[in-house]
Amino acid sequence: MSSLTRMLSVLDLFSRDHTTMTAEQIADALALSRTTCYRYTRELTQAGLLVSHGGQFMLGPRIIELDYRMLDSDPLINAGGPIVSELADAMGATGLLTAIYDDHIVNVFAHSGSPRPLPLSFGRGTTMPMFKSSTSKVLLSMMSRGRLMRLWERHQHTPDCRTIGADWKTFWRTLQEIRQRGYAASFGELTPELAGISAPVSFNDGEVAGCISLVFLREYFDRFDLQLLGTRLCAAAADVSKLLAGLKSPAAPAAPSRARGRRTVATKPAAAGAHPGARGKTAKTAPARKPPKRTAAVTKAL
């Protein structure tokens, strides 16, 4: 684990039950030396990711600032938000957009089109269980064989993992069936009265960008033909993928000028009538005047 990853893991300690923490508590939770802990908290505070008050640390406003920027700039949200919202309204469901990093599956967008509020415990900003729900299973199905094998080796003894497959071959085969089908469905895995269906979204090179999901009350979900609902969801996911494929990287913003310590020499414009190639020479019509003697530094700069 890199020092940056370890430093950012400080932010993962905060929750509804732990809204503030002292440096000593942070050090004990992450098994950090006091020196390392004070360095991490100082740098995170300077970056606005933590706030310190009376010896207590809490999450800082920079996180909200970054969240606002993500809503404004994230390609998956910009491309998929309107599509999943329209579909959720049409189907009477709650629509989700979900992304994955490392082994974290995070809902980044949510839109409620349900006729009545759903008892969701996994809205925007929440991390999904790795092996439960249609969302997680469809994202797992898009992983490479090598990555899935590493996940299996780490989690093969957990009940959720073994629900997908009691051994590696069954685990792999189940996820490949989901990948070939194009969608995954789950019934009451996270909340008993809910059901969900998910389909993957990809970038133009085939790399998975995330997935879109629809969540229903179980009794309402049972009215749909699962295959037809899956086909419609896959079509919406394909539309999002097409929009992502059309994205082009804009030119990088210009870096601020950093000319500190660099000496520049201004040259006088050539007088009227001077030859274009005679830079810095005086025209014949100009009054005869001996030019100032150049120092060695100026001569080198020119």
Side-chain angles (χ1 to χ4, degrees), residues 14-69:
F14 294 88
S15 65
R16 185 184 297 273
D17 297 326
H18 299 91
T19 58
T20 64
M21 298 186 75
T22 65
E24 289 74 17
Q25 290 173 325
I26 292 172
D28 292 340
L30 297 178
L32 300 174
S33 68
R34 293 297 186 266
T35 301
T36 300
C37 181
Y38 286 127
R39 177 166 59 85
Y40 284 178
T41 53
R42 182 180 66 251
E43 293 183 10
L44 290 170
T45 300
Q46 290 174 349
L49 298 173
L50 286 182
V51 172
S52 175
H53 178 70
Q56 297 280 336
F57 291 95
M58 59 202 80
L59 294 178
R62 182 74 175 274
I63 295 174
I64 296 296
E65 183 181 20
L66 292 173
D67 178 70
Y68 178 82
R69 291 187 183 184

Side-chain angles (χ1 to χ4, degrees), residues 132-188:
K132 294 178 71 173
S133 81
S134 61
T135 297
S136 298
K137 289 176 184 176
V138 81
L139 288 173
L140 286 172
S141 74
M142 299 300 292
M143 292 182 183
S144 67
R145 183 183 179 92
R147 185 176 179 185
L148 280 175
M149 182 169 286
R150 289 190 293 272
L151 277 174
W152 165 260
E153 290 172 349
R154 288 201 303 271
H155 303 284
Q156 60 180 302
H157 300 298
T158 63
D160 291 345
C161 181
R162 297 184 71 83
T163 299
I164 298 176
D167 55 66
W168 161 247
K169 288 186 178 180
T170 306
F171 180 82
W172 167 256
R173 191 180 303 116
T174 299
L175 293 175
Q176 289 310 292
E177 289 173 356
I178 292 174
R179 183 167 186 160
Q180 293 172 4
R181 188 187 312 123
Y183 64 89
S186 62
F187 307 93

Side-chain angles (χ1 to χ4, degrees), residues 191-205:
T191 306
E193 58 266 42
L194 299 181
I197 185 169
S198 306
V201 174
S202 301
F203 292 111
N204 56 359
D205 59 358

Side-chain angles (χ1 to χ4, degrees), residues 43-271:
E43 293 183 10
L44 290 170
T45 300
Q46 290 174 349
L49 298 173
L50 286 182
V51 172
S52 175
H53 178 70
Q56 297 280 336
F57 291 95
M58 59 202 80
L59 294 178
R62 182 74 175 274
I63 295 174
I64 296 296
E65 183 181 20
L66 292 173
D67 178 70
Y68 178 82
R69 291 187 183 184
M70 183 172 180
L71 285 174
D72 198 42
S73 65
D74 182 71
L76 179 60
I77 296 175
N78 288 339
I83 291 176
V84 74
S85 297
E86 182 179 358
L87 183 61
D89 288 338
M91 307 303 291
T94 291
L96 299 172
L97 284 170
T98 308
I100 184 170
Y101 73 94
D102 194 24
D103 290 346
H104 297 263
I105 297 174
V106 183
N107 293 322
V108 298
F109 177 85
H111 174 83
S112 178
S114 306
R116 55 193 172 105
L118 301 183
L120 285 177
S121 58
F122 44 90
R124 181 177 179 272
T126 56
T127 302
M128 305 290 285
M130 177 59 70
F131 302 103
K132 294 178 71 173
S133 81
S134 61
T135 297
S136 298
K137 289 176 184 176
V138 81
L139 288 173
L140 286 172
S141 74
M142 299 300 292
M143 292 182 183
S144 67
R145 183 183 179 92
R147 185 176 179 185
L148 280 175
M149 182 169 286
R150 289 190 293 272
L151 277 174
W152 165 260
E153 290 172 349
R154 288 201 303 271
H155 303 284
Q156 60 180 302
H157 300 298
T158 63
D160 291 345
C161 181
R162 297 184 71 83
T163 299
I164 298 176
D167 55 66
W168 161 247
K169 288 186 178 180
T170 306
F171 180 82
W172 167 256
R173 191 180 303 116
T174 299
L175 293 175
Q176 289 310 292
E177 289 173 356
I178 292 174
R179 183 167 186 160
Q180 293 172 4
R181 188 187 312 123
Y183 64 89
S186 62
F187 307 93
E189 292 186 12
L190 297 178
T191 306
E193 58 266 42
L194 299 181
I197 185 169
S198 306
V201 174
S202 301
F203 292 111
N204 56 359
D205 59 358
E207 180 183 359
V208 64
C211 73
I212 64 175
S213 303
L214 294 177
V215 183
F216 302 83
L217 286 171
R218 178 69 182 273
E219 60 191 43
Y220 189 67
F221 184 85
D222 290 339
R223 302 176 188 175
F224 291 95
D225 180 285
L226 181 58
Q227 186 174 355
L228 291 178
L229 183 59
T231 300
R232 184 162 183 181
L233 184 64
C234 288
D239 289 340
V240 178
S241 297
K242 288 178 182 177
L243 291 175
L244 291 176
L247 292 176
K248 294 183 179 180
S249 299
S257 177
R258 298 180 182 272
R260 186 188 308 169
R262 183 179 300 171
R263 298 176 65 182
T264 59
V265 178
T267 58
K268 294 182 179 181

